[in-house]
Amino acid sequence: MTIIDAIKIAFRSIYANRLRSLLTALGMIIGVASVIALIAIGQGTQQGVKQEIMGLGSNLIFIQPGSSTDQSTGSKGGRGSSTTLVLSDVDAIMDAEIDGLYGASGQINFPAQAIGGGNNDRVDVVAVDAEYAYVRDLNMEYGSFISDNDVTRKAMNIVLGHAIADSLFPTGDPIGENVRINLGSRFGFNFRVIGVLSESGGQNVQDASVYIPIPSLMNRLRFLKNPTGGTTIQQISIKIDENVDEVVIKSELEDVLMMEHAVLEPDFIINSQNDLVSAASAVSKTLSILLGSIAGISLIVGGIGVMNIMLVSVTERTREIGIRRAVGALSKDIRLQFISEALVVTIGAGIIGVIVGLTIAIVINGRVIAGQQMITVIELWSVLVAFGVSSIVGLISGSYPAHRASMLDPIVALRSD
Amino acid sequence: MIELSKISKDYYTEAGTVHALRNIDVKIQSGEFVAIMGQSGSGKSTMLNILGCLDQPTTGQYSLDGINVGDKNDTYRSILRREKFGFVFQSYNLVPRLTAVEQVELPLIYQGASNKREIALEALARLNLDDRAHHFPQQLSGGQQQRVAIARSLVVQPQVVFADEPTGALDTQSGKDIMKIFSELSDEGITIVLITHEQHIADQSSRILEMSDGQLVFDSLHGRNSL
């Protein structure tokens, strides 16, 4: 018997049991489609996070406060929960004149409501110094960024992120307009718009942020003062020369700050952009593996379904097998027939699954689902793996039923009902 | 030429050993038309299965054209069935999902023939089934189904056709038609071994064997008292 004959017979019997074949294939279709779609989502997330971090500006190092320890319970707080980083640390870093360090800027972040132009929106308020635009490579669409002068005289000036400018002032240039920043229900402060940032694109947070001079709210908001009297900040961003070894700069920064804080162990955390990228990549790689494994399990479940149906099929067609043996089918012809049948079902399901999976990945790409913008990246390897695994699953789950069919005694098979 | 010598077949069941065939010695020449008669349980079907290489004897020698085929492996016996034998059964044994012409193509598929459809249609035409080629078994009468089965057995141009009560499920007229076909095949030189328990059917053969309790008790070639 030729392979072509075997495949023809397989198609005949699949067609004869259309509904059953379709339901059997459905398990595999879902498995293959979910492998492809979920890996595309996992890879998209990974790429999105990477872009977001790289989009923060190039060659950055971030310093954040270490975790605080509650003296009475000894329990540790989360990263950044301690108040060890203060505004004067920025000056200490600049005074140290570290080789390859271009600039440093401290910042305080807090969420607030912004009201302006008759509209309101949720914003991230970032209180910064004048260096910030240079360190973080910010570009202006309108007006200018916060200046040293604004910082010195604690000016109530504000720079809007692109998305915030769009939502508060959809009709155009908001320079000179008034924006009120509300913190809860108790505090509200009026600012004058002096600039709008260019669109950063992607999922970058800077589009949804507003920027104010760091001392402008200092004397009005108690929570910004730490017990030592310094101004607590949440992060120092540092711009470095890309040709200088970041490890050397990180260790020099550590020395400077430990000296400044008069501590023996760092009470702060230093990360480069690359550290963040690799940490985020590790997280999203785990996510990809997790999603892939879930999908892989559904492929195996699909394979079990195929084996189950093939065993039923062999039992139902025992007499047919006997007839085929009587007219001269070899034992291996029978095996080939049933393996072909399992393979046609699983490869067919694999092809449909690939189409469905790719369609899902393409359709959801860029859409906002549950408030989250989905980015999908289709990986060729995921298509090949899904297709390959489904074929192998078909081969394995078809093998045992086919073997059982081929081992039937022709006489016993002919006598069965 | 078929030659069985001291063929025995035992079945082992929980109730004990069943001696389905005991020491059968028989020679069948090419072109003979042999009818095997006997009560049910006399071993005639077992005998036919062993002759057709569907089953193997427990002891004894089966030689076909001088070659001992009784102890050959499954593949060898399958190829023998494919190339030299044809089978016709009482219950027709057609595959329900296949049309008449596809039934006839079955042996050709396993032979690897190239112009299967053409050969199968010729075989059907020979049995006056041209107009039924694309019918499914359930659309055919018993007699037509049995003719499809005969066409399937003939399509490989067999040396021997084994028929297990081919008229058993048919009405008288259809039975007559089927027997006429077997007579014609015999005239063409095809060896026919046919099981029946109807005397008038057996009378159309050239030789009658009668079995009882796993033994050959009568051979018309030698007369009633020869065995």
Side-chain angles (χ1 to χ4, degrees), chain A residues 53-54 56-64 79 85 90 93 98-107 132 135-137 234-242 244-254 257 268-276:
Chain A
I53 294 168
M54 296 315 282
L56 295 175
S58 53
N59 311 306
L60 288 171
I61 287 178
F62 303 103
I63 305 174
Q64 287 163 335
R79 165 195 278 204
L85 215 54
V90 179
I93 288 166
I98 296 167
D99 257 359
L101 190 149
Y102 288 164
S105 171
Q107 71 184 77
Y132 190 82
V135 171
R136 301 293 287 261
D137 283 333
Q234 285 161 354
Q235 179 170 282
I236 301 172
S237 306
I238 291 161
K239 184 171 184 151
I240 59 166
D241 183 341
E242 61 183 293
V244 176
D245 186 356
E246 64 178 43
V247 177
V248 175
I249 294 188
K250 274 157 72 178
S251 100
E252 287 186 48
L253 284 170
E254 194 171 289
L257 284 183
F268 49 86
I269 299 158
I270 304 179
N271 278 311
S272 70
Q273 216 167 353
N274 292 331
D275 295 335
L276 297 180

Side-chain angles (χ1 to χ4, degrees), chain A residues 286-301:
Chain A
T286 310
L287 179 76
S288 282
I289 291 169
L290 188 76
L291 293 176
S293 314
I294 292 169
I297 289 168
S298 70
L299 264 186
I300 292 170
V301 173

Side-chain angles (χ1 to χ4, degrees), chain A residues 44-53 55-56 124 199-209 365-369 371-376:
Chain A
T45 309
Q46 192 167 339
Q47 208 189 63
V49 170
K50 215 179 214 169
Q51 272 174 357
E52 193 172 326
I53 294 168
L56 295 175
D124 279 315
E199 188 168 11
S200 70
Q203 292 180 314
N204 213 319
V205 289
Q206 83 182 43
D207 281 345
S209 299
N365 188 25
R367 275 176 206 255
V368 176
I369 294 169
Q372 193 72 34
Q373 187 176 34
M374 305 296 281
I375 299 171
T376 57

Side-chain angles (χ1 to χ4, degrees), chain A residues 12 319-320 324-325 330, chain B residues 74 78 93 97 102 110:
Chain A
R12 275 305 285 266
R319 192 184 180 94
E320 176 190 327
R324 290 179 183 274
R325 292 301 313 271
L330 308 187
Chain B
D74 179 69
S78 300
N93 273 342
R97 289 176 291 102
E102 286 168 336
Y110 297 114

Side-chain angles (χ1 to χ4, degrees), chain B residues 3 22 42 45 51 64 92 99 130 148 153 182 187 214 216:
Chain B
E3 186 171 0
R22 308 165 190 247
S42 62
S45 284
L51 285 170
L64 180 74
Y92 325 130
T99 61
D130 336 34
V148 172
S153 74
F182 280 114
D187 292 344
L216 211 51

Side-chain angles (χ1 to χ4, degrees), chain B:
Chain B
M1 187 185 76
I2 291 169
E3 186 171 0
L4 299 185
S5 66
K6 303 213 178 310
I7 289 283
S8 293
K9 178 71 185 178
D10 299 332
Y11 291 111
Y12 305 98
T13 64
E14 281 176 23
T17 307
V18 176
H19 302 287
L21 294 179
R22 308 165 190 247
N23 274 320
I24 303 276
D25 286 297
V26 71
K27 285 184 193 176
I28 299 171
Q29 303 294 333
S30 291
E32 274 193 278
F33 187 166
V34 179
I36 304 175
M37 300 193 71
Q39 304 278 313
S40 51
S42 62
K44 47 189 197 309
S45 284
T46 305
M47 170 104 143
L48 196 79
N49 288 338
I50 286 174
L51 285 170
C53 286
L54 279 168
D55 205 353
Q56 282 180 293
T58 311
T59 58
Q61 283 231 320
Y62 171 12
S63 83
L64 180 74
D65 298 332
I67 301 160
N68 183 14
V69 297
D71 54 2
K72 289 283 198 282
N73 68 15
D74 179 69
T75 303
Y76 187 96
R77 286 182 286 124
S78 300
I79 294 171
L80 264 186
R81 295 195 296 270
R82 191 176 81 188
E83 306 292 335
K84 297 193 168 180
F85 296 160
F87 291 91
V88 179
F89 303 92
Q90 179 177 2
S91 53
Y92 325 130
N93 273 342
L94 300 178
V95 180
R97 289 176 291 102
L98 301 183
T99 61
V101 68
E102 286 168 336
Q103 310 278 353
V104 181
E105 280 176 354
L106 277 185
L108 299 171
I109 288 174
Y110 297 114
Q111 277 191 340
S114 53
N115 45 348
K116 299 186 276 281
R117 185 51 54 108
E118 199 184 325
I119 300 172
L121 285 171
E122 269 173 35
L124 282 173
R126 194 178 152 191
L127 289 147
N128 295 323
L129 286 165
D130 336 34
D131 54 338
R132 294 283 181 272
H134 299 289
H135 286 55
F136 290 96
Q138 65 270 27
Q139 299 169 313
L140 299 172
S141 71
Q144 287 169 335
Q145 290 189 55
Q146 195 60 297
R147 269 147 62 204
V148 172
I150 293 172
R152 182 176 69 191
S153 74
L154 293 180
V155 77
V156 298
Q157 300 188 312
Q159 282 183 16
V160 190
V161 171
F162 299 99
D164 192 347
E165 301 203 39
T167 60
L170 300 177
D171 59 82
T172 317
Q173 186 53 46
S174 301
K176 271 187 189 163
D177 294 344
I178 296 295
M179 285 314 294
K180 193 161 157 263
I181 294 164
F182 280 114
S183 297
E184 285 168 16
L185 296 179
S186 178
D187 292 344
E188 286 170 28
I190 296 173
T191 310
I192 291 168
V193 181
L194 177 147
I195 289 176
T196 183
H197 48 236
E198 289 174 88
Q199 189 64 48
H200 71 96
I201 299 278
D203 287 342
Q204 296 175 51
S205 69
S206 60
R207 178 181 177 189
I208 296 174
L209 300 175
E210 197 175 322
M211 295 188 66
S212 175
D213 200 20
Q215 288 176 305
L216 211 51
V217 293
F218 172 74
D219 183 344
S220 66
L221 205 61
H222 306 293
R224 179 151 293 275
N225 301 314
S226 62
L227 290 168

